[in-house]
Amino acid sequence: MCGIVGYTGQEQAAPILLEGLSKLEYRGYDSAGIAVRNAGELPQLAKTAGKLHFLVEKTDGGKLLPGTCGIGHTRWATHGNPTVDNAHPHTSDNVIGVHNGIIENYAELREKLTDKGYRFYSQTDTEVIVKLVDYYYKKYGIGPIDAINRTMVRARGSYALALMFVDYPGEIYAARKESPLVLGTTRDASFLASDVPAILKYTRKVYYIENLQAARITPGRIQFFNLNGDEITLPAREIDWDASAAEKGGYEHFMLKEIHEQPRAVRDTVSSLADFSSTGLDNAFLRSVERIYMVACGSALHAGIAGQYVVERLCGIPVRVEFASEFRYRHLPMEKGTLVVVVSQSGETADSLAALRKAKEAGLPVLGIVNVMGSSIAREADYLIHTMAGPEISVATTKAYSAQLAALYILAVRTAMAKGTVSEEEGKYCLDEIAALPDKIGAVLENKKQLQWFATKIASDTDIFYIGRGLDYAVCLEGSLKMKEISYIHSEAYAAGELKHGTISLIEDNTVVIGVLTQEEVAEKTVSNMIECRSRGARLMVLAKEGIRVPDGLSDFVVRIPSVPDLFSASLAVVPLQLLGYYTSVNRGLDVDKPRNLAKSVTVE
Ligand code: F6R
């Protein structure tokens, strides 16, 4: 989704803005722009369609645009194509601005503003909001904060806004509803951005502006205001990770680096939960949980599906996993005794956040399993498990997914121990096995070469099927998503037993079918389904746990993962599938870390 940066200080702003935008590239975008100014001069703009390097070239790394105050933007097209005209910043007589989010009533506002004599030069909702601020500013002769507040009352939807007013040189104004925005200061400069990596080089002390709040940003000082225009104080938060955590560190891609960080991410998540009371979930509460709704999107949903199997098995309570985008509009029973678990890496996914709010409105307790501290879901959940994956830059998630799995296992074990559905001894055994996962994931990572080779064999295929049963099906969902999102090869995950009910008609000569076999109870059944595919011409790959029998000759390509209790095998089985997706994408010469059309943090519905 769009990325916003802002800087005001003593240095030339444009190079700082371009560097900040480069740190937000991972969010996904298709055009970029900056506006900078000096006191007494009008802002100068530069915009380009396509990747950021076009803007860097156009402005000679920012050198061609003088000025010590500016705003910048990478746009992920929603309203209108990714053209220069639609790229931000957008301007009005007195205001210039950038925006992340969607203004839902933009059409109606645009009509009203057109009637008032405004002309529009783009198809964007952003131009509408910039002109609306301008309209209130002029009509009432009020200051920037009051004009922004009036606009916030009038505009529906989600936004993070950064604005410069022609009459206020050296100042940037910001406002937010739903979309993320972080601000920070040093002694003589101030910054704002959609995410921490863009400003971490300059400061670790940051402020998260809340919904319907505004800010005035001057060099070395930030003031915050509520919707009434009263100045308010927000707590400063210290970022506890280093800028190097968001660098490639010698790896060719962030995704490969993050795959290798999984042992650390899981270890840190597990140790941070050694004192489980830090989550706020005490035994009395866990005992009272009669059912769980697990709500999330994409890979976080897949982690939830794996968690569903583990919770059901250990705790004996029903778990429903729901797409957040469906949950928010469905009319599910919201009965007492239900815990809603919202899983999210970014903590800003619009649908997941809306699902959280819906659950809270219904009076249900919400546990957030979130990677980004300070994010909306982390702040609004009643209980919080902070996954310790650290900053994840690659659009395709890997280490955050693995950390989510670990968090869900521990939630399941702790709930089962509280409920007495497992004994203390069994619970302790499970916790020890979870603590042993990082080393085993490390061992799986040793096996990269095999996957690299297999990726060359499938790189020009057009369809790949992943099949498995039980927890293996949950892993297939994630493996298949990794493959399709970064290699653009069509891929589907199927519960192996479902194939015969229609989909097997798609299997023909040379179709690739990957069978996952880690669940002792059902592995033989999946093998039978694989044989059925082979009989119809499929090329098979087997991913099997040590100890599970793979019939001779079933496949020329067998990848083994170390022995691990069935319940926690997803943590190991997913790694070869992540690597397979990664190497396939590399083989096809694609932009692994920033796949087409995707955004890291999906802050609109
Ligand atoms: C896929 C991927 C997405 C996210 C999904 C939810 O690799 O990263 O499917 O899992 O967009 O995002 P979060 O976890 O930030 O809520």
Side-chain angles (χ1 to χ4, degrees):
M1 296 278 123
C2 307
I4 291 180
V5 292
Y7 167 82
T8 178
Q10 320 305 321
E11 311 282 321
Q12 188 177 2
I16 296 174
L17 297 174
L18 289 172
E19 194 194 8
L21 289 179
S22 74
K23 304 278 185 228
L24 299 180
E25 279 192 283
Y26 74 89
R27 296 169 67 83
Y29 69 101
D30 34 45
S31 58
I34 52 176
V36 289
R37 67 179 303 195
N38 270 325
E41 290 166 17
L42 284 176
Q44 295 196 40
L45 251 90
K47 308 204 264 189
T48 47
K51 292 290 177 197
L52 188 62
H53 67 87
F54 294 120
L55 186 62
V56 174
E57 280 155 26
K58 183 170 180 179
T59 60
D60 191 13
K63 289 194 208 94
L64 299 181
L65 292 186
T68 57
C69 175
I71 52 180
H73 190 263
T74 43
R75 172 173 184 256
W76 189 83
T78 55
H79 296 65
N81 297 338
T83 59
V84 172
D85 284 343
N86 286 331
H88 305 200
H90 289 285
T91 58
S92 195
D93 294 346
N94 299 283
V95 186
I96 180 161
V98 294
H99 160 231
N100 169 16
I102 288 187
I103 306 301
E104 283 162 4
N105 54 341
Y106 87 102
E108 167 205 331
L109 293 171
R110 186 174 165 129
E111 224 174 277
K112 294 228 159 88
L113 288 164
T114 307
D115 290 347
K116 305 273 178 212
Y118 281 91
R119 279 189 61 201
F120 288 87
Y121 302 93
S122 76
Q123 298 156 292
T124 63
D125 50 344
T126 305
E127 192 180 0
V128 174
I129 195 124
V130 168
K131 290 198 154 104
L132 188 62
V133 175
D134 183 77
Y135 169 70
Y136 287 130
Y137 179 73
K138 276 201 304 231
K139 173 164 183 206
Y140 296 107
I142 49 183
I145 293 290
D146 288 335
I148 290 170
N149 279 345
R150 277 181 186 267
T151 305
M152 288 207 273
V153 171
R154 194 73 180 78
R156 282 202 309 274
S158 60
Y159 44 83
L161 279 173
L163 305 165
M164 293 193 293
F165 287 71
V166 172
D167 303 330
Y168 292 80
E171 301 189 7
I172 303 172
Y173 289 83
R176 158 183 201 261
K177 184 172 164 243
E178 314 299 357
S179 300
L181 196 60
V182 58
L183 301 96
T185 46
T186 59
R187 207 166 46 83
D188 53 10
S190 296
F191 304 82
L192 64 91
S194 299
D195 199 1
V196 173
I199 61 176
L200 197 58
K201 180 172 162 192
Y202 305 99
T203 181
R204 292 174 162 277
K205 199 170 113 183
V206 301
Y207 301 88
Y208 292 98
I209 181 170
E210 298 281 346
N211 276 342
L212 299 176
Q213 292 178 347
R216 172 174 177 255
I217 299 138
T218 51
R221 181 163 189 232
I222 304 179
Q223 293 163 276
F224 298 99
F225 301 88
N226 65 17
L227 204 50
N228 295 326
D230 303 324
E231 191 168 343
I232 50 170
T233 311
L234 291 187
R237 293 173 199 258
E238 192 72 17
I239 299 298
D240 58 4
W241 46 270
D242 209 70
S244 66
E247 306 288 344
K248 281 192 204 144
Y251 286 91
E252 202 181 333
H253 297 101
F254 280 110
M255 184 175 177
L256 190 60
K257 175 184 175 230
E258 288 161 5
I259 288 174
H260 282 85
E261 284 175 340
Q262 292 183 108
R264 201 265 316 133
V266 173
R267 189 173 294 114
D268 288 357
T269 303
V270 171
S271 21
S272 75
L273 293 173
D275 171 16
F276 198 66
S277 62
S278 65
T279 60
L281 297 159
D282 59 30
N283 282 348
F285 175 78
L286 292 175
R287 268 196 294 277
S288 74
V289 175
E290 291 166 22
R291 71 195 73 76
I292 291 179
Y293 286 152
M294 204 82 82
V295 188
C297 305
S299 295
L301 183 101
H302 298 159
I305 293 173
Q308 173 188 42
Y309 284 96
V310 181
V311 172
E312 287 186 344
R313 186 98 63 89
L314 291 178
C315 311
I317 56 171
V319 180
R320 260 181 100 132
V321 185
E322 292 291 333
F323 297 109
S325 53
E326 292 292 318
F327 181 87
R328 63 185 292 188
Y329 295 115
R330 270 177 85 162
H331 300 279
L332 288 169
M334 295 289 203
E335 294 155 283
K336 207 165 161 281
T338 307
L339 170 66
V340 177
V341 179
V342 179
V343 188
S344 175
Q345 186 285 127
S346 62
E348 298 292 352
T349 302
D351 286 321
S352 304
L353 183 58
L356 172 150
R357 290 182 181 152
K358 176 171 175 163
K360 286 186 76 169
E361 262 163 39
L364 296 186
V366 176
L367 163 66
I369 299 184
V370 182
N371 196 44
V372 178
M373 280 308 266
S375 60
S376 303
I377 296 175
R379 291 200 305 265
E380 293 186 31
D382 301 300
Y383 304 97
L384 181 65
I385 293 184
H386 178 206
T387 49
M388 306 295 281
E392 193 177 61
I393 306 297
S394 160
V395 166
T397 184
T398 52
K399 62 175 178 169
Y401 167 86
S402 285
Q404 287 160 355
L405 283 183
L408 286 160
Y409 299 158
I410 293 178
L411 173 69
V413 175
R414 291 289 180 182
T415 308
M417 288 168 88
K419 284 181 170 296
T421 49
V422 301
S423 66
E424 278 294 311
E425 199 185 327
E426 287 161 337
K428 169 98 184 34
Y429 165 79
C430 287
L431 292 175
D432 287 347
E433 287 294 337
I434 296 167
L437 288 173
D439 286 347
K440 294 183 181 178
I441 296 173
V444 178
L445 286 168
E446 307 273 290
N447 211 4
K448 283 195 293 285
K449 288 264 170 303
Q450 212 190 349
L451 276 318
Q452 205 166 355
W453 179 81
F454 190 61
T456 63
K457 303 283 164 220
I458 60 171
S460 43
D461 275 282
T462 50
D463 303 280
I464 301 179
F465 290 83
Y466 293 72
I467 62 170
R469 289 170 182 248
L471 270 159
D472 288 338
Y473 168 57
V475 174
C476 285
L477 287 167
E478 180 56 10
S480 166
L481 180 62
K482 288 285 91 75
M483 180 59 75
K484 70 184 114 189
E485 68 181 331
I486 57 172
S487 77
Y488 314 154
I489 296 177
H490 164 252
S491 149
E492 289 187 40
Y494 257 81
E498 267 296 298
L499 267 186
K500 295 196 184 66
H501 299 284
T503 309
I504 200 161
S505 64
L506 295 174
I507 307 292
E508 51 186 9
D509 267 354
N510 278 324
T511 307
V512 179
V513 176
I514 299 176
V516 181
L517 308 173
T518 73
Q519 303 294 297
E520 284 165 30
E521 210 181 345
V522 287
E524 277 184 359
K525 298 196 183 298
T526 304
V527 167
S528 303
N529 300 130
M530 294 180 75
I531 292 171
E532 286 157 8
C533 292
R534 195 182 55 185
S535 309
R536 284 151 185 88
R539 269 146 69 208
L540 301 184
M541 168 183 150
V542 181
L543 172 57
K545 190 170 78 168
E546 279 310 335
I548 286 198
R549 204 182 138 266
V550 177
D552 287 346
L554 179 65
S555 163
D556 291 340
F557 196 80
V558 181
V559 177
R560 287 284 183 182
I561 56 166
S563 173
V564 58
D566 283 13
L567 275 186
F568 311 129
S569 65
S571 292
L572 307 192
V574 76
V575 177
L577 301 184
Q578 294 168 338
L579 286 166
L580 189 62
Y582 171 78
Y583 286 121
T584 306
S585 175
V586 171
N587 265 293
R588 289 165 70 93
L590 300 173
D591 191 349
V592 179
D593 286 333
K594 295 185 287 278
R596 69 183 178 204
N597 304 339
L598 294 182
K600 181 68 181 162
S601 174
V602 183
T603 50
V604 295
E605 10 184 339

